[in-house]
Amino acid sequence: MTSITDTPQNPLPFDARPRRTPGGRVIRWLRANLFASITSSIISVLLIALLAKAFVSLVQWGYWNAIWIVSGNQTGPCRSIRGLGACWAVIPEKYRFILFGTYPFNEQWRPALVCLTFVALFWVSSRRNWWRKELVLVWAAALVLIGILMWGGVFGLSYVSQDRWGGLPVTLILATFGLAFGFPLGIVVALGRRSKLPAIRSLCVLYVELIRGVPLISLLFMASVMFPLFLPDGVNIDKLLRAQIAFILYAGAYLAEVIRGGLQAIPRGQHDAADALGLTYWKKNGLIILPQAIRHVIPPLVNTFIAFFKDTSLVLIIGIFDLLTTAKTSIIDPAWQQFSVEVYVFVGLIYFVFCFAMSRYSRQLEAQSRPG
Amino acid sequence: MTTSTPELPRRRRMRLRLNRQQVNGLIWQIVVVAIAVAIVGWLWSNALHNLSVRRISTGFAFLGREAGMPIADSWLAYSPRDPYVRAFIVGIVNTLRVAVIGIVLATVLGTLIGIARLSSNWLLSRLAAVYVEVLRDVPLLLQLLFWYVLMQGLPAARAAWKPIEGVFLSNRGLVLPSIPIEEANLWVIAAAAAGLSALYLLRRQLVAWQMADGKARPLWPYALALLVGLPALVSFGLGASWTITFPELRGFNFVGGLTLAPEYFALLIALVTYTSAFIAEIVRSGIQAVPRGQWDAANALGLRRSFVLQRIVLPQALRVIIPPMTSQYLNLTKNSSLAVAVGYQDVVSIANTTLNQTGQAIEAIALIMAVFLTISLGISLFMNWYNARIALVER
């Protein structure tokens, strides 16, 4: 210490300058963030030791001892290193099945293109300055294109029936169509729940509470087992479509609650002003109330989208070939049976990329919409 | 304003309301209800027709028939010869076993991680953030399958891992030392519970007395007498034995001790870790909702950080935390139905087997719904009661 003001014999009455800790920037950062106190230092040391150990064993398992490729179905070398190293060879061997299921092998460029279309569609819809009416047309066009690509049967594409679809496109279809139809349903139900008409209000409350009160898989069981009972003789709806309907009903109930939260945040004066202008109920809500309400709840809406995207994996239980089901099926093959961890890590990464992108986006929107 | 024509505007307003809004509203309601009734009626008549074609009788009479389904993991006595109603009760107990223990563990873990997320230690808070992101962005079912596969990859019972003496981890699940519960032990537990509730009432009385005359009275002698003395007395009186039995490996399996089946264990781990990530975020936002000034004021008083957190910040944060926490508890309970994917027999799995055996689809699904609606309602009621207790009472 060189400064005379630091000596205790002659303290200045007031010195608000923070004392500079000695050392370079790195040292100062370390002292502030890792070794600020004794407890903090102990935690840091323990965590660093733990992390180092975890990192070393992970690298050993996932990279150092791992086998990346085997020829044919010769998994002997993989089995000999079981527990010591990963067998990533299962991914190049099975990735086509995991991603596209039993879709005809030579036609798999079509579902691949469908996945790209979906990603492009999500990306376009996430640009805030592109949120206008034309976007609805883009959506309609994209969904038609997806239908053409998946089914085929026109423009020289061979027809592929629905029960051969599988993998990532099925997950994306279930999630996107569930939201695309669940969203308007949610809006109507949310409005109904806030309506002054008792019969309509109680119907909406009944619908939302019934759906939210039970596990999603009981709805899926219902769709797969009970739904055929409720239809007239001879009418047989495809299993995928039945699951899709269950998802739409499910998404509608959850989205309705989020939107209702937004509706509640609209001040009374907005309603009064719209009434004073003599607008009808639908015009008032469509032009004034709903746009504001939805803007209020965009972050929770995106969070609901994430939850919904993950929940589509539950169709595994009723045997629809979504991404998780194809992953689980791909390792039934006895040669590869023991390497499910590697496959689950691969599929987990795909889910993670989609959900993480959405959650980043939601975070960003939240930061933008925060006042000040 | 003249007082001569007060009736005219009132009558006109009445007629206006009746004409426009009320009549409109009435028509709307009648139309919507009629459509709803028509749809339900149509579906119902189809169902009745289909059921009669398939010769499936409706009603819950099947509950009395012999179930013939094996249930591997159950706390209640059960054999496949028991009726369906017994199988359902076992399933409900299994669901509650996952849900209640899962909620407790997830709350503890989630709170710790939420606090770690706010730690001034950079490494700790980063690690907590990574934990939250990874677990939140991967489907629960995938995580469940992952844990289950890992459980199956554990060594066989003979080569089980022994982290501590008496604890075994193998592909048979987790085996822990336990105390066998007999009738005398149950009476001791009842005595402890009675002591606890007596202590609660006593504490209120002591606080009331202190409020009246300002004299502090110690609670601990009573606590000692009621929580330790009373159960000990009952234990001696009835001769309850508290010997811990340690599991032993005999032949191919474990004898003694408490076994958590791999299915149950995997389900519990998946539910607890997944839900704790959400709870951590709720706890974090709750703590951040407490104004900065509270921390500063407590620091200025020279209070320790852990004390500030426990006594000043968390109680206030609870008001923000409780409502979203309730929905996480409900989610965990509903998510426990994923048990069917790993073959743990909860109520949904048993209802599903029943449905496949008897074809009683409507009744089985109705039972699932009734069970979950009841549990959800119970959790909501409890949490709302708790919320009302801790809510800020404003003057």
Side-chain angles (χ1 to χ4, degrees):
Chain A
M1 297 288 156
T2 49
S3 165
I4 198 162
T5 52
D6 280 331
T7 55
Q9 290 96 332
N10 190 14
L12 277 179
F14 186 74
D15 188 357
R17 269 181 304 140
R19 202 184 297 185
R20 271 180 73 109
T21 333
R25 271 177 65 188
V26 177
I27 306 258
R28 256 185 288 136
W29 184 89
L30 282 176
R31 283 194 71 157
N33 292 303
L34 293 183
F35 302 102
S37 67
I38 296 173
T39 345
S40 181
S41 309
I42 295 171
I43 293 175
S44 298
V45 170
L46 281 180
L47 282 181
I48 289 171
L50 209 73
L51 265 184
K53 195 161 183 278
F55 183 74
V56 167
S57 44
L58 203 67
V59 168
Q60 270 183 343
W61 177 81
Y63 183 76
W64 212 248
N65 295 336
I67 291 178
W68 297 86
I69 210 107
V70 293
S71 56
N73 266 8
Q74 302 302 309
T75 51
C78 275
R79 249 172 272 163
S80 65
I81 55 146
R82 210 168 117 66
L84 302 171
C87 181
W88 297 117
V90 65
I91 306 297
E93 186 72 23
K94 300 282 182 190
Y95 81 98
R96 295 274 292 250
F97 182 79
I98 295 174
L99 287 179
F100 307 121
T102 52
Y103 207 87
F105 196 79
N106 291 328
E107 302 285 331
Q108 283 184 355
W109 59 272
R110 279 157 52 182
L113 207 58
V114 164
C115 295
L116 288 180
T117 313
F118 271 122
V119 171
L121 193 60
F122 299 153
W123 187 76
V124 166
S125 316
S126 69
R127 305 273 106 186
R128 270 191 123 177
N129 42 353
W130 290 354
W131 287 354
R132 39 185 128 123
K133 280 182 193 139
E134 287 85 343
L135 199 58
V136 178
L137 293 179
V138 173
W139 266 76
L143 295 186
V144 169
L145 176 70
I146 284 161
I148 291 174
L149 279 171
M150 286 307 283
W151 267 300
V154 281
F155 307 123
L157 297 168
S158 60
Y159 174 75
V160 178
S161 83
Q162 230 157 299
D163 41 86
R164 301 206 58 180
W165 299 6
L168 188 57
V170 168
T171 291
L172 292 173
I173 286 170
L174 282 172
T176 313
F177 281 82
L179 289 174
F181 290 96
F183 196 65
L185 178 66
I187 289 177
V188 170
V189 173
L191 286 175
R193 224 184 146 162
R194 308 248 313 149
S195 150
K196 287 193 200 77
L197 311 173
I200 291 180
R201 194 172 58 226
S202 14
L203 270 181
C204 292
V205 170
L206 191 72
Y207 163 69
V208 170
E209 295 303 332
L210 265 186
I211 301 249
R212 278 162 37 105
V214 299
L216 173 58
I217 70 165
S218 70
L219 291 179
L220 290 174
F221 279 145
M222 217 163 130
S224 83
V225 192
M226 237 165 109
F227 213 68
L229 278 183
F230 283 123
L231 290 176
D233 272 342
V235 180
N236 197 7
I237 302 184
D238 179 82
K239 202 174 181 183
L240 184 63
L241 186 58
R242 290 194 310 241
Q244 184 73 75
I245 293 171
F247 269 116
I248 291 170
L249 292 176
Y250 173 79
Y254 277 81
L255 291 173
E257 283 301 278
V258 177
I259 296 167
R260 186 166 72 102
L263 288 175
Q264 282 175 347
I266 306 297
R268 183 72 235 159
Q270 300 282 331
H271 290 266
D272 294 342
D275 287 339
L277 288 174
L279 296 180
T280 64
Y281 177 81
W282 294 109
K283 273 200 168 158
K284 175 176 87 174
N285 280 303
L287 297 174
I288 295 174
I289 307 296
L290 272 174
Q292 297 184 70
I294 291 175
R295 200 174 316 141
H296 270 299
V297 290
I298 286 172
L301 272 181
V302 178
N303 288 340
T304 315
F305 290 179
I306 298 176
F308 186 73
F309 184 78
K310 287 186 296 175
D311 282 344
T312 57
S313 63
L314 264 58
V315 293
L316 177 132
I317 285 165
I318 56 167
I320 287 174
F321 270 72
D322 78 321
L323 185 56
L324 187 55
T325 319
T326 51
K328 201 171 177 242
T329 317
S330 71
I331 36 190
I332 284 181
D333 183 355
W336 298 100
Q337 218 161 31
Q338 300 176 331
F339 310 106
S340 24
V341 168
E342 288 85 345
V343 171
Y344 286 144
V345 168
F346 174 67
V347 173
L349 267 177
I350 299 178
Y351 276 107
F352 182 81
V353 166
F354 276 97
C355 295
F356 188 68
M358 278 193 273
S359 94
R360 277 285 112 141
Y361 178 64
S362 146
R363 203 80 54 83
Q364 186 192 328
L365 281 178
E366 224 165 321
Q368 282 170 3
S369 61
R370 198 173 293 147
Chain B
M1 270 291 201
T2 51
T3 49
S4 56
T5 56
E7 289 143 64
L8 193 62
R10 208 198 306 152
R11 230 166 58 203
R12 256 174 61 193
R13 211 165 58 223
M14 288 271 294
R15 268 178 50 209
L16 255 179
R17 254 184 28 210
L18 259 177
N19 274 344
R20 275 256 185 83
Q21 276 160 314
Q22 279 193 332
V23 172
N24 248 351
L26 212 62
I27 291 173
W28 265 104
Q29 294 190 66
I30 290 170
V31 168
V32 170
V33 171
I35 292 174
V37 167
I39 293 176
V40 171
W42 180 69
L43 294 174
W44 192 245
S45 71
N46 284 336
L48 286 183
H49 173 74
N50 285 328
L51 287 174
S52 71
V53 168
R54 289 173 209 195
R55 304 236 166 98
I56 302 172
S57 59
T58 49
F60 288 92
F62 75 97
L63 282 176
R65 294 213 302 264
E66 186 183 306
M69 96 174 76
I71 298 180
D73 192 13
S74 124
W75 276 1
L76 301 176
Y78 173 84
S79 86
R81 321 205 64 189
D82 285 329
Y84 278 110
V85 64
R86 178 115 190 137
F88 266 103
I89 291 171
V90 169
I92 293 171
V93 170
N94 277 353
T95 293
L96 287 175
R97 183 147 72 105
V98 172
V100 171
I101 296 178
I103 283 175
V104 172
L105 293 179
T107 308
V108 173
L109 187 62
T111 309
L112 289 179
I113 290 168
I115 292 171
R117 187 101 159 67
L118 291 171
S119 162
S120 58
N121 187 309
W122 181 84
L123 199 57
L124 189 59
S125 73
R126 285 286 91 192
L127 271 181
V130 169
Y131 176 91
V132 169
E133 282 297 350
V134 169
L135 287 169
R136 277 201 318 180
D137 287 347
V138 175
L140 173 61
L141 185 56
L142 178 59
Q143 295 185 33
L144 174 60
L145 293 174
F146 180 83
W147 288 116
Y148 189 53
V149 161
L150 278 192
M151 292 292 297
Q152 287 175 322
L154 287 175
R158 279 166 172 274
W161 283 353
K162 264 195 292 185
I164 335 166
E165 194 54 46
V167 176
F168 295 95
L169 191 62
S170 70
N171 59 7
R172 299 290 178 106
L174 182 71
V175 190
L176 301 167
S178 70
I179 296 166
I181 300 292
E182 288 151 23
E183 206 192 332
N185 301 53
L186 288 177
W187 280 112
V188 176
I189 294 170
L196 193 69
S197 31
L199 193 68
Y200 175 74
L201 294 176
L202 191 71
R203 185 174 157 270
R204 275 175 59 171
Q205 191 53 52
L206 289 179
V207 169
W209 279 336
Q210 187 181 0
M211 288 292 177
D213 61 7
K215 234 183 279 171
R217 293 171 179 81
L219 184 70
W220 66 265
Y222 302 102
L224 203 66
L226 284 171
L227 291 184
V228 180
L230 185 65
L233 217 65
V234 176
S235 180
F236 276 120
L238 292 173
S241 79
W242 294 96
T243 44
I244 300 173
T245 57
F246 284 91
E248 269 178 80
L249 185 67
R250 280 210 207 119
F252 292 104
N253 213 343
F254 294 98
V255 178
L258 178 75
T259 305
L260 303 183
E263 293 80 20
Y264 175 76
F265 196 44
L267 183 64
L268 197 64
I269 295 181
L271 285 174
V272 166
T273 49
Y274 182 77
T275 314
S276 71
F278 290 87
I279 290 181
E281 283 297 279
I282 292 170
V283 169
R284 178 182 65 93
S285 65
I287 291 177
Q288 281 178 335
V290 176
R292 199 53 245 168
Q294 301 274 338
W295 281 102
D296 295 340
N299 284 338
L301 289 174
L303 302 175
R304 267 182 312 149
R305 202 182 145 83
S306 57
F307 183 86
V308 178
L309 196 63
Q310 278 169 36
R311 294 299 178 85
I312 295 170
V313 176
L314 275 183
Q316 296 185 69
L318 269 183
R319 295 186 188 122
V320 185
I321 289 173
I322 292 301
M325 201 77 128
T326 309
S327 16
Q328 286 310 320
Y329 290 170
L330 294 176
N331 280 346
L332 189 146
T333 310
K334 285 188 283 171
N335 284 336
S336 73
S337 62
L338 291 181
V340 72
V342 291
Y344 175 72
Q345 280 159 312
D346 74 326
V347 67
V348 176
S349 163
I350 284 173
N352 192 33
T353 313
T354 308
L355 188 159
N356 290 332
Q357 285 178 357
T358 62
Q360 305 272 5
I362 298 173
E363 290 82 358
I365 303 266
L367 273 172
I368 297 181
M369 293 194 162
V371 167
F372 276 94
L373 287 176
T374 313
I375 297 176
S376 304
L377 211 63
I379 295 177
S380 302
L381 279 179
F382 174 76
M383 293 300 279
N384 285 342
W385 166 81
Y386 185 61
N387 192 33
R389 245 180 73 96
I390 60 159
L392 191 63
V393 182
E394 289 192 68
R395 266 168 296 192

